[in-house]
Amino acid sequence: MNRPRSTSVVTVALATIVLLGTLYVGGRSVAGAPALGPLLDPAHGVWALARSSAPPRSADLVMPHMGSDVEVRFDERGVPHIFSGSVADAVRALGYVHARDRLFQMELQTRAVAGTLAELVGDRALPVDREARAQGLADAALRGYEQLDPGSPGRVLTEAYSDGVNAYIDGMTAAELPFEFRLLSGRPQRWAPEYTAYLFARMGLTLAYSSGELRRPAVEALIGRAATDALFPADNPIQEPIQPNGQRAPRLDWKSIPAPGPSDPVAARTALA
């Protein structure tokens, strides 16, 4: 029995609509989501990141501004060890390997200081950007950088680090673009020397400011010093030094938490005020 012609026409029409819709979604960003075609491209899409995630066994690279040969060795954990007869060249290599492994993190932290996250992720970051600009970390970091003498070691090494970061960005292939940039349909900005000062400012805030220091007096007033010391240890109980020490696993220094001690209502009210 022959299939009615009208049914074949409807099938072809539906298939055509599905095909056109797939091509449209694959080639365009829809509702803020990245275009699926480039994202899933087997040659240059996210699948290609697996090929560049591990350090190469051996590779030679010609980098701008290098004055001498530099050797970078990656240990079994992927930690780079840099050998050079020049500190400036070693720092250039450091910028390169930092960008290779942490480019999106570097961009995000820098933008968080400068108050430009909205340029990358959209208007939803405007409140965070306003807070960052009011905080003034970028202005303080920029003033500190600009006060460095042009020939001072700090200025020279900061510029050398930027050379290395930008060398990676300039030589980065489409397949090496970090996954987060793909999701945001963005590209990394070139690394200006003052961005390194921004990064240090952000790290200083992250490492120096601790809400735990504000919570500790209140907790101590409620449960005593011994139990508080166990909950707020001076040293992290999980120790995994970057420098290889022969161990293939972190050292765990767990301690038991003692029973709560007597509370101090007066101190608790003062700490919570």
Side-chain angles (χ1 to χ4, degrees):
M1 178 183 295
N2 294 328
R3 180 177 297 178
R5 182 177 180 82
S6 59
T7 303
S8 299
V9 172
V10 171
T11 301
V12 172
L14 288 175
T16 302
I17 292 172
V18 171
L19 176 61
L20 292 176
T22 302
L23 292 175
Y24 178 84
V25 173
R28 292 177 175 269
S29 175
V30 179
L36 292 179
L39 186 67
L40 301 179
D41 178 0
H44 304 294
V46 293
W47 313 113
L49 290 174
R51 295 195 297 267
S52 60
S53 60
R57 291 186 176 273
S58 178
D60 293 323
L61 173 70
V62 177
M63 236 172 73
H65 308 293
M66 279 291 192
S68 61
D69 291 342
V70 176
E71 183 178 5
V72 181
R73 299 179 185 175
F74 292 88
D75 64 22
E76 60 185 6
R77 295 179 298 174
V79 177
H81 301 265
I82 301 172
F83 301 87
S84 172
S86 162
V87 175
D89 287 339
V91 172
R92 288 187 181 91
L94 179 65
Y96 187 94
V97 296
H98 273 177
R100 180 191 180 280
D101 291 340
R102 295 175 176 265
L103 186 57
F104 183 77
Q105 179 186 1
M106 294 164 64
E107 173 116 4
L108 201 66
Q109 296 292 328
T110 300
R111 288 187 177 277
V113 172
T116 59
L117 281 172
E119 295 178 4
L120 182 64
V121 304
D123 292 348
R124 56 186 176 274
L126 284 174
V128 179
D129 285 347
R130 293 190 184 102
E131 180 180 352
R133 297 192 182 199
Q135 199 172 44
L137 281 180
D139 291 338
L142 180 59
R143 286 197 302 270
Y145 172 73
E146 290 178 339
Q147 289 174 2
L148 294 173
D149 292 332
S152 65
R155 189 73 171 252
V156 170
L157 295 181
T158 301
E159 293 174 352
Y161 183 82
S162 298
D163 291 341
V165 176
N166 288 325
Y168 179 79
I169 294 174
D170 292 342
M172 183 175 57
T173 65
E176 293 170 333
L177 183 68
F179 178 66
E180 297 88 349
F181 285 110
R182 299 167 191 260
L183 290 179
L184 296 169
S185 300
R187 295 282 305 178
Q189 61 185 348
R190 287 186 63 77
W191 191 265
E194 59 266 26
Y195 291 171
T196 302
Y198 291 2
L199 195 58
F200 275 119
R202 183 69 181 182
M203 290 176 63
L205 177 66
T206 301
L207 297 175
Y209 174 79
S210 171
S211 59
E213 294 179 0
L214 303 177
R215 295 195 304 268
R216 181 185 170 99
V219 173
E220 184 174 337
L222 294 174
I223 64 174
R225 173 165 294 185
T228 302
D229 287 343
L231 293 174
F232 295 85
D235 298 320
N236 193 318
I238 303 177
Q239 295 292 330
E240 187 175 14
I242 293 178
Q243 183 67 28
N245 60 359
Q247 300 185 28
R248 294 183 175 273
R251 190 183 78 239
L252 306 179
D253 296 334
W254 299 116
K255 296 180 181 178
S256 60
I257 300 178
S263 62
D264 184 340
V266 176
R269 285 195 297 270
T270 301
L272 294 172

